[in-house]
Amino acid sequence: MGNIITPYLTLAAILFCIGLYGALTKKNGVIVLLSIELMLNAVNLNLIAFSKLGDHPALTGQIFSLFNITIAAAEAAVGIAILITIYRNRGTVDVTDLDSMKR
């Protein structure tokens, strides 16, 4: 099992790290949302890899992956809607400028 699943897990770890870097360092709200989507896709890759190539192959990981894709689509739609509203009100999507709760 170890040698077959290693490339999938390595790719998922790289994708997750790229997404984490983007989510923590970028100031643009759209880039942050895309980075979160990249991290969720890395999780989906892990779920499917363990589902197909694990000790006891089953459909459980694939079903969880489908739920995760559904939640990611809803998160993206709500996130983009919030960013559009913020852009209309403030004229920017820079996440460092979103400090209205502090005032």
Side-chain angles (χ1 to χ4, degrees):
M1 176 183 114
N3 292 337
I4 297 171
I5 202 167
T6 304
Y8 297 107
L9 298 181
T10 304
L11 177 62
I14 291 169
L15 286 175
F16 192 85
C17 288
I18 291 170
L20 185 63
Y21 174 78
L24 294 177
T25 60
K26 301 301 178 187
K27 294 181 179 182
N28 190 343
V30 177
I31 302 298
V32 171
L33 283 175
L34 288 175
S35 298
I36 292 170
E37 293 293 327
L38 193 62
M39 290 190 295
L40 289 172
N41 284 330
V43 170
N44 287 337
L45 184 59
N46 276 335
L47 286 171
I48 292 174
F50 281 121
S51 173
K52 294 294 285 183
L53 302 171
D55 290 334
H56 304 289
L59 290 175
T60 309
Q62 295 173 14
I63 292 169
F64 278 124
S65 180
L66 286 174
F67 283 124
N68 196 4
I69 290 170
T70 305
I71 297 300
E75 174 260 334
V78 171
I80 292 294
I82 290 171
L83 283 176
I84 289 172
T85 303
I86 290 170
Y87 181 75
R88 285 182 182 168
N89 290 333
R90 300 236 173 145
T92 183
V93 289
D94 190 359
V95 294
T96 57
D97 292 340
L98 304 178
D99 57 355
S100 64
M101 294 292 284
K102 293 180 183 177
R103 295 179 199 167

